[in-house]
């Protein structure tokens, strides 16, 4: 009778006693290990019933090793570190701003222990979780008061609710934007309970358009920075100064959504500065709103700064409870704002600002180091250095191009698509750009400490 390999398969029980699986029971628990053993044995039984059965090695030690690999991949966290070689600094899908070490450390410490989140250390009495960050933000922006929520979308909703629920808010048609990820101004407005009063046209809105729209039911004027698009040519919007004067003469507040919140100019060639919330307040906006994870370079959050009376009204809104920040984010935000209070070092210490202001010379040097690591490892691939354009932030900043240096890879064996797939799914995961069947690695978003790992990942993805 012919030997039946199905009979020689080890039992679940005996596999559970083998070393790599015994160790894994400690990590992921017996149930998950047993589940993967069963799945694996079923697969093998199915294979053994086919013609090519002879080639299979079903010895217990080999099986245990394979099953251990299955378990590791089946229980692997979905969210993991990636290397961003896209050159897009504020890449929303890759987590927007990486945080400064000080901010990340503060979040870590807050996460694993207790802190005085809502208690005053001096008096032992209950305080507001807003108190810590409020003072620093006021100092940074020259604001009378401030409060923070989960993101700029939440900031817009709660500000409109507190100032204008059931009443009209005037917005220029040129500013009724969609930021992506379902931030569409008319819908945000609807959710807030304020009534949208559109004025002007897509490209031209005059001060007189605002003026004519003001009536007894007007609660506020909202100005929104069109972060991700530009109208070129015949275009006009009233200046902030003119809008402030108009709002003041009618005794209504002006809310200025500046979006990315550039507190310091970057002074980078080719880069158009984004509006500064400090200047927005200095020019007389009653409230200025911006994201904490765009050009502030901190954690996801929305900052509202301006008149104390409006901030109080906002903090009284029941939605504040739903929109408030957690302890980790608050600690990270506090550290980020503290770093901004030292303008001399802020661009060096906030990664987002450091990357955006990296010079072409630095980026070229980085490209040269990477090339030197790659060439000996993958001698037959066509790998070159080239200059090109990078982007500050897809969907968060205008699609303005900043000069950058890149590594360009053209493989004879693989299409750019399949190489990009191998890079993404490798260890560590790498996100690159594809252009004309070439892979581009943009040095602007790669930290110098990541270069060696990136080189290894590229070589692995190319199948070396
Ligand atoms: C990015 C942006 C928002 C949305 O900010 P989130 O923090 O992502 O919610 C709102 N308004 C403007 C003008 C923006 O640029």
């Amino acid at each position: 009778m012919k030997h039946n390999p199905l009979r020689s398969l080890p039992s679940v029980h005996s596999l559970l006693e083998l070393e790599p699986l015994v160790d894994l029971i400690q990590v992921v628990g017996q149930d998950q290990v047993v589940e993967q053993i069963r799945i694996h044995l079923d697969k093998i039984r199915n294979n053994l019933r086919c013609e090519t059965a002879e080639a299979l090695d079903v010895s217990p030690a080999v099986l245990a090793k394979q099953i251990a690999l299955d378990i590791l991949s089946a229980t692997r966290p979905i969210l993991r570190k990636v290397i961003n070689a896209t050159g897009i600094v504020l890449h929303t899908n890759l987590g927007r701003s990486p945080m400064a070490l000080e901010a990340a450390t503060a979040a870590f410490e807050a996460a694993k222990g207790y802190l005085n989140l809502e208690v005053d250390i001096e008096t032992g009495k209950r305080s507001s979780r807003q108190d810590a960050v409020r003072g620093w933000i006021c100092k940074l922006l020259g604001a009378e008061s401030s409060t923070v929520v989960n993101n700029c979308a939440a900031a817009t909703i709660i500000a409109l609710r507190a100032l204008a629920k059931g009443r009209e808010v005037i917005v220029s048609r040129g500013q009724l934007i969609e930021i992506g990820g379902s931030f569409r101004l008319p819908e945000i407005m609807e959710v807030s309970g304020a009534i949208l009063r559109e004025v002007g046209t897509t490209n031209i809105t005059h001060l007189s358009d605002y003026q004519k729209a003001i009536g007894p039911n007007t609660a506020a004027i909202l100005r929104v920075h069109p972060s991700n698009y530009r109208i070129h040519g015949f275009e006009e919007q009233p200046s902030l100064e003119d809008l402030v004067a108009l709002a003041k003469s009618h005794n209504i507040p002006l809310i200025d959504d500046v979006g990315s919140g550039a507190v310091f100019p970057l002074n980078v060639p080719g880069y158009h500065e984004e509006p500064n919330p400090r200047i927005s307040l200095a020019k007389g906006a009653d409230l200025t709103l911006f994201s904490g994870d765009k050009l502030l370079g901190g954690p996801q959050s929305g900052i509202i700064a301006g008149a104390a009376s409006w901030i109080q009204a906002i903090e009284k809104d029941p939605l504040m409870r739903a929109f408030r920040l957690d302890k980790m984010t608050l600690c990270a935000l506090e550290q980020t704002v503290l770093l901004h209070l030292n303008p001399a070092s802020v661009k060096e210490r906030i990664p987002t600002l450091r990357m955006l202001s990296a010079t072409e010379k630095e980026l070229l040097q980085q490209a040269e180091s990477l090339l030197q690591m790659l060439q000996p490892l993958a001698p037959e691939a066509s790998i070159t250095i080239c200059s090109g354009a990078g982007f500050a932030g897809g969907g968060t900043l205008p699609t303005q191009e900043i000069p950058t240096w890149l590594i360009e890879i053209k493989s004879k064996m693989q299409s750019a698509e399949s190489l990009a797939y191998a890079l993404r799914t490798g260890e560590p995961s790498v996100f690159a750009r594809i252009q004309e069947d070439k892979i581009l690695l943009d040095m602007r978003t790669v930290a110098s400490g990541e270069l060696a790992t990136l080189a290894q990942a590229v070589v692995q993805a190319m199948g070396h």
Side-chain angles (χ1 to χ4, degrees):
M1 205 177 85
K2 204 175 154 208
H3 168 73
N4 182 352
L6 281 172
R7 289 239 180 92
S8 57
L9 272 183
S11 69
V12 173
H13 187 74
S14 66
L15 283 166
L16 275 174
E17 288 177 348
L18 295 181
E19 198 192 288
L21 298 181
V22 171
D23 293 348
L24 277 171
I25 289 172
Q26 299 297 319
V27 184
V28 303
Q30 173 135 344
D31 290 352
Q32 297 203 78
V33 175
V34 170
E35 183 191 356
Q36 289 300 327
I37 293 176
R38 293 228 160 92
I39 293 173
H40 200 88
L41 289 180
D42 281 347
K43 247 191 306 189
I44 295 208
R45 281 192 201 97
N46 283 335
N47 283 347
L48 287 177
R49 291 194 187 100
C50 311
E51 308 289 297
T52 52
E54 253 108 308
L56 276 180
D57 183 348
V58 295
S59 68
V62 169
L63 283 183
K65 233 184 244 163
Q66 290 168 346
I67 294 166
L69 288 177
D70 288 353
I71 292 168
L72 288 177
S73 90
T75 56
R76 191 171 176 206
I78 308 290
L79 296 175
R80 59 189 76 149
K81 183 204 155 54
V82 311
I83 292 181
N84 175 6
T86 67
I88 299 170
V89 178
L90 296 175
H91 197 308
T92 303
N93 300 351
L94 298 183
R96 277 207 193 146
S97 273
M99 284 193 270
L101 187 63
E102 291 85 347
T105 308
F108 173 71
E109 293 295 335
K112 68 190 178 89
Y114 295 106
L115 73 161
N116 57 328
L117 183 65
E118 290 183 346
V119 61
D120 185 303
I121 296 257
E122 286 296 321
T123 63
K125 296 225 168 71
R126 197 181 158 165
S127 67
S128 160
R129 66 174 62 203
Q130 296 287 348
D131 290 346
V133 180
R134 194 194 320 275
W136 304 129
I137 292 177
C138 287
K139 201 166 173 190
L140 180 65
L141 302 180
E144 191 185 1
S145 186
S146 76
T147 196
V148 289
V149 289
N150 268 319
N151 46 42
C152 195
T156 312
I157 292 173
I158 203 161
L160 288 171
R161 250 173 80 95
L163 274 61
K165 192 163 178 236
R167 297 175 63 207
E168 282 183 4
V169 173
I170 305 174
V171 188
S172 161
R173 289 201 169 89
Q175 298 174 359
L176 289 174
I177 52 166
E178 167 167 333
I179 306 264
S182 79
F183 183 98
R184 305 180 92 188
L185 202 68
E187 286 161 24
I188 291 277
M189 202 91 154
E190 209 174 306
V191 166
S192 78
I195 301 160
L196 171 62
R197 179 72 196 267
E198 302 175 30
V199 294
T201 63
T202 308
N203 56 328
I204 305 272
T205 302
H206 300 293
L207 190 66
S208 59
D209 293 324
Y210 284 91
Q211 196 154 20
K212 278 182 258 166
I214 297 178
N217 202 26
T218 306
I221 294 175
L222 173 65
R223 183 175 179 260
V224 184
H225 176 58
S227 300
N228 53 3
Y229 90 110
R230 284 284 181 270
I231 295 175
H232 295 283
F234 191 46
E235 188 270 341
E236 191 186 316
Q237 299 285 334
S239 68
L240 178 58
E241 288 90 333
D242 286 348
L243 282 178
V244 165
L246 179 67
K248 292 226 184 307
S249 72
H250 288 85
N251 219 2
I252 51 174
L254 182 126
I255 307 170
D256 193 16
D257 176 5
V258 297
S260 51
V263 182
F264 296 104
L266 279 169
N267 300 320
V268 170
Y271 172 83
H272 227 275
E273 302 292 345
E274 286 284 291
N276 180 337
R278 200 188 156 82
I279 292 176
S280 158
L281 291 176
K283 286 186 175 172
D286 293 271
L287 290 178
T288 188
L289 322 176
F290 60 101
S291 301
D293 57 352
K294 290 182 185 171
L295 290 175
L296 196 72
Q300 183 194 302
S301 49
I303 293 153
I304 309 173
S309 56
W310 295 126
I311 297 291
Q312 263 167 22
I314 288 169
E315 288 187 351
K316 281 206 196 98
D317 191 297
L319 264 193
M320 195 61 188
R321 171 68 187 227
F323 286 174
R324 73 183 187 184
L325 290 182
D326 66 277
K327 60 176 181 173
M328 295 167 286
T329 310
L330 267 170
C331 289
L333 184 59
E334 181 181 23
Q335 290 292 330
T336 304
V337 177
L338 279 171
L339 291 177
H340 275 78
L341 292 177
N342 182 355
S345 64
V346 67
K347 278 191 212 164
E348 205 29 63
R349 289 161 85 186
I350 301 278
T352 293
L353 300 181
R354 187 167 64 227
M355 289 188 275
L356 280 169
S357 51
T359 63
E360 284 198 66
K361 190 170 157 226
E362 287 163 339
L363 298 172
L364 175 59
Q365 271 169 4
Q366 189 132 305
E368 281 164 350
S369 319
L370 183 58
L371 184 69
Q372 257 169 27
M373 295 176 193
L374 280 172
Q375 268 172 340
L377 297 169
E380 79 290 359
S382 146
I383 304 176
T384 49
I385 292 180
C386 64
S387 65
F391 302 93
T396 60
L397 285 178
T399 50
Q400 51 182 335
E401 300 183 358
I402 317 177
T404 189
W405 285 91
L406 312 124
I407 290 285
E408 183 186 289
I409 304 172
K410 187 150 178 55
S411 161
K412 290 175 206 95
M413 330 287 285
Q414 282 162 293
S415 71
E417 286 290 345
S418 84
L419 185 51
Y421 175 80
L423 281 167
R424 254 191 350 262
T425 54
E427 183 59 53
S429 171
V430 175
F431 281 70
R433 294 216 304 263
I434 299 180
Q435 192 180 300
E436 292 161 8
D437 211 38
K438 283 175 286 202
I439 289 287
L440 295 179
L441 305 172
D442 190 325
M443 293 300 103
R444 190 173 291 280
T445 43
V446 178
S448 53
E450 285 176 330
L451 283 182
T453 327
L454 175 58
Q456 290 298 335
V458 169
V459 170
Q460 246 170 43
M462 295 174 83
H464 290 267

